[in-house]
Amino acid sequence: MKDIATPIRTRAILEKYKFSFKKSLGQNFLIDLNILARILDAAGVNEQVGAIEIGPGIGALTEQLAKRADKVVAFEIDQRLLPVLGDTLSPYDNVKIIHSDVLKADVSQVMREEFKEGQDVMVVANLPYYVTTPILMKLLEEKLPIKRIVVMIQKEVADRIAAKPGSKDYGSLSIAAQYYAKAETVFTVPKTVFVPQPNVESAVLRLTIREEPPVEVEDESFFFEVIRSSFAQRRKTIFNNLTHHFGKDRKEQIEVALTTASVDPKRRGETLSIEEFAQLSNELIGLLK
Ligand code: SAM
């Protein structure tokens, strides 16, 4: 039998189950084995690895993971796909499908239950585009014991996540992701490898999870508050954004913190490195809290 991720087999599966795509669930299925092989290579999947997939669809990527990894655990929200997956993945005994919205799932507990202690675990997925950022931020913020996240997402979001200071794409999302992981766009993907074809361009993003944060931050939630408020209005200076957020009566303290952190108050948030934001938030917290 042909692999699932081929146009012929995919069409046959969709017809057999009279499956209608739900746009609201970001259902764009992969029909290109070459792209799938490149995704698995980028993730470094081998027979020792545990893989977590989000949104298996009809099993295109799941099947390739099942062939190469030790075990695959996949979260699928759409109940209609469960019988389909039961059928398409029946040749593989190392796949577990969990019927759940991944945003509501206790991924940490699932990992403890499903993977061996000390096993390298990677997240590999063709993400539903309407929830890309919440899913990635959940995986990062929960500090799950995963090594790498390799995901197909909108190219525009991949560019924002991997952006460097000073570039037009650099913002609070770049810093949030890069605080937890090293981020890189591995390759871009043409629309023709999906059915149905998405409206946006796609790219594969690799996040290599850091063992330690790249900077020392006294209070993580305050650090992220400073970052978000610094980007609230991109055309404003960092000084104006911070005074707008923390209050005009804190002007002096903000000026002192900026000076101590060697940040010119006239600069814009998009020019500050993660190290500068860390220093600034460590200074500000002492003066404002
Ligand atoms: N992995 C398949 C492939 O590459 O062909 C399908 C990818 S498709 C872009 C996204 C999948 O995620 C769909 O199967 C969709 O039903 C599922 N999905 C959407 N929202 C989800 C959520 N919150 N939790 C889990 N799965 C979700």
Side-chain angles (χ1 to χ4, degrees):
M1 178 123 37
K2 276 196 185 303
D3 283 6
I4 300 165
T6 50
I8 292 181
R9 177 88 193 279
T10 296
R11 201 176 310 127
I13 295 165
L14 296 174
E15 270 171 25
K16 178 173 174 191
Y17 288 93
K18 306 256 172 293
F19 186 79
S20 54
F21 294 101
K22 270 200 189 150
K23 222 178 166 184
S24 61
L25 290 180
Q27 292 177 335
N28 301 94
F29 298 165
L30 277 168
I31 48 161
D32 188 307
L33 287 167
N34 177 43
I35 294 289
L36 285 170
R38 289 174 69 192
I39 294 174
L40 265 64
D41 288 345
V45 175
N46 61 42
E47 63 279 8
Q48 260 98 52
V49 160
I52 297 178
E53 190 190 357
I54 293 152
I58 59 170
L61 172 57
T62 329
E63 176 178 56
Q64 303 307 316
L65 287 168
K67 287 185 188 181
R68 255 213 237 179
D70 175 48
K71 182 169 185 182
V72 191
V73 175
F75 295 89
E76 176 56 63
I77 198 171
D78 188 348
Q79 186 154 20
R80 300 173 307 153
L81 288 166
L82 302 188
V84 185
L85 289 162
D87 175 7
T88 58
L89 297 173
S90 60
Y92 308 97
D93 60 5
N94 59 344
V95 178
K96 167 134 186 180
I97 306 290
I98 298 177
H99 177 218
S100 161
D101 175 347
V102 72
L103 291 174
K104 294 189 185 142
D106 186 343
V107 181
S108 169
Q109 190 184 333
V110 168
M111 287 182 71
R112 279 195 299 277
E113 285 169 5
E114 301 295 340
F115 296 116
K116 298 177 189 134
E117 222 183 299
Q119 183 168 30
D120 280 354
V121 177
M122 330 265 180
V123 173
V124 186
N126 170 20
L127 286 182
Y129 290 0
Y130 75 106
V131 275
T132 304
T133 309
I135 292 176
L136 289 178
M137 289 321 295
K138 172 188 166 104
L139 296 172
L140 293 171
E141 283 169 358
E142 290 186 358
K143 300 187 176 163
L144 301 166
I146 44 184
K147 279 224 117 172
R148 224 167 274 148
I149 301 176
V150 175
V151 281
M152 175 92 75
I153 60 176
Q154 304 97 299
K155 180 174 179 301
E156 184 218 317
V157 180
D159 288 344
R160 276 167 49 209
I161 288 176
K164 298 274 169 284
S167 66
K168 72 168 181 14
D169 293 324
Y170 183 71
S172 51
L173 182 61
S174 330
I175 305 175
Q178 291 173 32
Y179 179 74
Y180 298 106
K182 199 178 122 229
E184 58 202 314
T185 302
V186 201
F187 56 93
T188 54
V189 181
K191 291 178 185 177
T192 48
V193 301
F194 303 91
V195 277
Q197 294 189 14
N199 298 326
V200 294
E201 279 189 278
S202 304
V204 172
L205 173 81
R206 175 166 55 205
L207 296 171
T208 308
I209 309 300
R210 298 182 194 277
E211 284 180 12
E212 296 287 330
V215 287
E216 263 186 55
V217 167
E218 273 181 43
D219 179 330
E220 276 183 7
S221 77
F222 185 74
F223 169 65
F224 289 120
E225 183 183 340
V226 169
I227 291 165
R228 274 194 310 273
S229 54
S230 302
F231 285 101
Q233 295 208 39
R234 286 186 79 98
R235 297 155 84 81
K236 279 192 176 176
T237 63
I238 184 142
F239 178 71
N240 283 344
N241 268 322
L242 290 173
T243 41
H244 182 78
H245 179 77
F246 290 107
K248 287 209 167 58
D249 53 331
R250 302 296 183 88
K251 257 184 168 170
E252 252 169 59
Q253 289 97 318
I254 292 167
E255 213 160 6
V256 170
L258 284 164
T259 312
T260 323
S262 311
V263 175
D264 183 336
K266 290 198 208 68
R267 282 171 65 185
R268 293 194 184 151
E270 68 211 53
T271 68
L272 266 70
S273 66
I274 194 165
E275 289 78 15
E276 288 176 309
F277 272 117
Q279 228 183 321
L280 177 60
S281 85
N282 289 344
E283 294 298 337
L284 269 176
I285 199 167
L287 296 168
L288 296 184
K289 283 221 158 174

